[in-house]
Amino acid sequence: MSIYMMMTITKRSIGRRLDAIYERNGLSATFGMLAKGTANSEMLDFLGMEVTEKLVMMSVVTDDMWKTVKKDLEKEIQIDVPGTGIAFLMPLSSIGGKKVLQFLINGQKFEEEESVMKNTVYELIVVIANHGHSEEIMDAAREMGAGGGTVIHAKGTGLEKAEKFLGVSIENEKEIIFIVTKAADKNGIMKSIMEKAGLQSEAKSVVFSIPVTDTAGLRLQEIQ
């Protein structure tokens, strides 16, 4: 059984209903970000949509949890109806520590197995940390060869269970840092972040990675 990052993009107006679906299914570690759609007017007319403010939600799920949540999303908020939103999965290739894994899946049944995407050249490292610590996280990443990163402000929900799994309390206000790096450098970068800005620090960073099948714009890294 695999684990995935589930991303849901919907209208902000149904955010509370989305939260209720997640909470009922036990998805306690969920992270939300505000966004805005960019489709042109012709596409919006085709889809029957209006220009709306968006809510982006991220949560870790197993195969079985995805099947359950997908049914609820279709039944309760009609996410499969054009104009409502979209939900999709991205396979996780690694997670920074067993405690973090337990926290993210929070009781979901999971048997660890090797990633099926073994030959990817690049990986996306995702760091979820307390607000205000992105610089120290990037410093730790750069020490092991990382280039730049992208920081997004987010808010966590259902994090009161964090102390049970991690032994620490976690603030709701979060920063999510995305770092694309060579797969060969991934472990060193993740380890550096965990050591210098991990759960033992004020940053309380949670780190995991997602396979990247192809890239553009990393030519200087490719010729090193």
Side-chain angles (χ1 to χ4, degrees):
M1 181 178 292
S2 301
I3 53 176
Y4 306 88
M5 170 58 64
M6 176 179 69
M7 186 169 287
T8 309
I9 305 173
T10 64
K11 297 181 289 187
R12 292 186 197 176
S13 59
I14 61 176
R16 292 188 181 276
R17 293 163 61 192
L18 192 61
D19 273 340
I21 291 173
Y22 281 7
E23 290 177 8
R24 186 175 67 247
N25 285 287
L27 293 176
S28 60
T30 300
F31 305 94
M33 299 152 279
L34 300 181
K36 185 176 182 179
T38 61
N40 59 38
S41 58
E42 183 179 351
M43 179 60 69
L44 292 171
D45 290 341
F46 174 74
L47 296 174
M49 297 176 66
E50 299 176 353
V51 178
T52 57
E53 301 300 302
K54 303 293 185 181
L55 175 66
V56 181
M57 301 286 281
M58 296 169 56
S59 192
V60 173
V61 299
T62 61
D63 297 282
D64 290 341
M65 179 61 74
W66 163 246
K67 293 174 184 177
T68 300
V69 172
K70 181 182 178 182
K71 288 180 181 178
D72 285 350
L73 292 173
E74 292 173 346
K75 179 180 179 181
E76 298 187 26
I77 64 173
Q78 287 78 51
I79 200 167
D80 52 335
V81 174
T84 303
I86 186 173
F88 55 91
L89 299 182
M90 297 174 284
L92 300 188
S93 57
S94 58
I95 293 179
K98 290 186 177 180
K99 285 186 177 181
V100 171
L101 172 62
Q102 292 172 348
F103 167 59
L104 290 174
I105 66 175
N106 186 23
Q108 299 178 55
K109 293 182 179 179
F110 169 68
E111 294 181 5
E112 191 170 354
E113 60 183 27
E114 291 291 326
S115 171
V116 296
M117 301 185 69
K118 297 180 180 180
N119 299 318
T120 55
V121 177
Y122 288 92
E123 296 249 351
L124 173 66
I125 296 175
V126 181
V127 186
I128 301 174
N130 286 341
H131 181 68
H133 296 275
S134 58
E135 285 300 322
E136 63 192 87
I137 290 166
M138 284 309 306
D139 286 345
R142 290 189 183 101
E143 286 184 11
M144 298 304 297
T150 300
V151 181
I152 299 173
H153 183 74
K155 184 176 182 180
T157 61
L159 300 182
E160 63 277 357
K161 295 183 180 180
E163 195 161 1
K164 171 185 174 183
F165 293 99
L166 305 177
V168 296
S169 59
I170 292 187
E171 301 171 6
N172 284 341
E173 296 301 310
K174 311 304 261 180
E175 286 176 337
I176 299 180
I177 301 97
F178 295 115
I179 304 169
V180 177
T181 187
K182 290 181 179 178
D185 297 334
K186 177 196 70 175
N187 289 340
I189 293 171
M190 291 179 66
K191 183 178 179 181
S192 181
I193 294 171
M194 291 163 60
E195 288 178 348
K196 296 178 174 62
L199 296 176
Q200 79 289 346
S201 70
E202 292 184 1
K204 300 290 188 294
S205 297
V206 169
V207 189
F208 53 88
S209 64
I210 298 170
V212 173
T213 57
D214 203 356
T215 65
L218 295 174
R219 182 169 59 89
L220 291 179
Q221 290 189 28
E222 289 173 356
I223 65 177
Q224 290 177 358

